[in-house]
């Protein structure tokens, strides 16, 4: 087994006034040559957006973009005539392909928006742009890791890559065994809340760890923990 650890305190951080953002991997003005990507996982941004503020229309190309709201209301608009506001329990999946313009705003004029935005390299470039929202509430099982995105039809959400995303909310202490879905993949674990012990490492809120060159491994999860696991080709 191989591993790489990215502590919450070591992430890139910028305060733009209306936007407070942490970057696990190099992004925008944050550059760390040792943290460019983890396999096909290119971006993991942890954003907090003030009420009624947001990102004006901007382009994306040849990237799979997944947005996961943790708090508040995420409002999206794009150049293929989609507009939608999603909340925790929803995810937004966008295959930008040959090119798409979109905007992201806090859909509330009172409440702070907190969301994760994740970019994954696609298998094939210059495909037709696609955008979808998915309600994952029925998939999320308490005290289990629940598959929320897959390439093989086992979940409604998918991207143009051999990637499997899982989430878990735990109100009790538990040890689970994670098994890789595909040989040669690695998994990046991001602790949204709480604490875990994995690969002989103790991780806390907003810490991350990438694990590869193994078929399976145990995760010891503390009470009050929320996790996101992103399995991608290495």
């Amino acid at each position: 087994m191989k591993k790489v650890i990215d502590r919450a305190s070591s992430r890139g951080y910028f305060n733009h006034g209306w936007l407070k953002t942490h970057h696990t991997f190099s992004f925008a003005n944050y550059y760390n040559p040792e943290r460019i990507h983890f396999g096909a996982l290119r971006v993991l941004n942890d954003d907090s957006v003030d009420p009624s503020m947001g990102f004006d229309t901007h382009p994306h190309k040849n990237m799979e973009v997944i947005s996961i709201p943790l708090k508040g209301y995420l409002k999206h608009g794009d150049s293929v005539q989609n507009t939608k506001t999603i909340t925790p329990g929803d995810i937004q999946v966008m295959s930008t392909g040959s090119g798409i313009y979109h905007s992201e705003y806090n859909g509330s004029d009172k409440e702070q928006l907190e969301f994760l935005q994740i970019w994954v390299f696609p298998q094939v470039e210059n495909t037709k742009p696609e955008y979808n929202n998915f309600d994952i509430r029925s998939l999320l099982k308490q005290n289990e890791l629940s598959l929320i995105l897959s390439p093989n039809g086992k979940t409604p959400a998918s991207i143009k890559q051999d990637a499997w995303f899982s989430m878990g909310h735990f109100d009790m202490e538990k040890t689970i065994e994670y098994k890789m879905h595909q040989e040669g993949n690695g998994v990046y674990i991001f602790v949204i809340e709480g604490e875990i012990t994995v690969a002989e490492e103790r991780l806390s809120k907003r810490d991350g760890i990438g694990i590869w060159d193994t078929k399976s491994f145990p995760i010891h999860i503390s009470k009050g923990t929320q996790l996101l696991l992103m399995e991608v080709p290495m």
Side-chain angles (χ1 to χ4, degrees):
M1 177 192 293
K2 295 179 181 177
K3 62 186 176 183
V4 60
I5 302 164
D6 303 315
R7 297 293 178 185
S9 60
S10 72
R11 297 178 297 170
Y13 174 72
F14 293 91
N15 184 342
H16 300 284
W18 61 272
L19 168 69
K20 284 80 174 174
T21 179
H22 289 86
H23 308 310
T24 294
F25 304 109
S26 294
F27 184 85
N29 294 326
Y30 169 62
Y31 177 71
N32 182 338
E34 296 181 354
R35 284 168 56 174
I36 302 296
H37 63 98
F38 175 79
L41 177 61
R42 173 61 188 88
V43 167
L44 174 53
N45 288 348
D46 182 5
D47 293 343
S48 179
V49 181
D50 286 350
S52 301
M53 301 299 290
F55 303 90
D56 291 332
T57 301
H58 56 282
H60 287 284
K61 186 177 182 179
N62 289 323
M63 198 66 68
E64 305 297 290
V65 180
I66 304 97
S67 298
I68 303 176
L70 304 177
K71 175 184 177 182
Y73 301 86
L74 175 59
K75 184 178 181 180
H76 162 95
D78 65 38
S79 57
V80 289
Q81 309 306 312
N82 291 297
T83 179
K84 181 74 174 182
T85 299
I86 60 174
T87 60
D90 301 314
I91 61 172
Q92 172 188 298
V93 179
M94 188 167 59
S95 293
T96 64
S98 58
I100 191 171
Y101 286 80
H102 84 139
S103 61
E104 295 159 303
Y105 277 87
N106 185 338
S108 170
D109 61 0
K110 297 179 181 178
E111 187 176 349
Q112 197 77 5
L113 165 66
E114 296 178 4
F115 75 105
L116 302 178
Q117 185 164 102
I118 299 144
W119 295 8
V120 177
F121 292 116
Q123 282 183 326
V124 180
E125 294 188 344
N126 297 318
T127 57
K128 181 181 178 181
E130 296 181 23
Y131 163 90
N132 290 284
N133 294 305
F134 298 97
D135 183 340
I136 61 171
R137 291 170 182 82
S138 63
L139 302 177
L140 297 174
K141 308 300 182 184
Q142 192 71 17
N143 299 313
E144 295 181 13
L145 276 182
S146 303
L147 194 65
I148 63 169
L149 181 151
S150 69
N152 52 16
K154 290 188 176 181
T155 57
S158 65
I159 57 174
K160 292 179 172 63
Q161 184 54 272
D162 288 333
W164 288 260
F165 283 24
S166 302
M167 288 189 75
H169 298 74
F170 296 83
D171 61 12
M172 61 181 287
E173 187 173 328
K174 191 171 184 178
T175 299
I176 61 172
E177 186 81 8
Y178 185 85
K179 297 180 180 180
M180 296 291 183
H181 292 85
Q182 179 171 280
E183 187 175 354
N185 276 7
V187 62
Y188 195 89
I189 306 171
F190 187 66
V191 183
I192 299 172
E193 299 284 347
E195 292 185 340
I196 65 170
T197 300
V198 61
E200 301 181 342
E201 302 288 346
R202 187 75 171 172
L203 289 93
S204 301
K205 180 178 178 178
R206 274 18 185 216
D207 288 344
I209 183 171
I211 295 173
W212 70 105
D213 276 4
T214 185
K215 294 182 178 180
S216 65
F217 56 89
I219 309 172
H220 182 75
I221 304 165
S222 298
K223 181 179 178 180
T225 293
Q226 182 179 4
L227 294 176
L228 173 65
L229 282 74
M230 296 157 281
E231 181 182 331
V232 295
M234 295 301 290

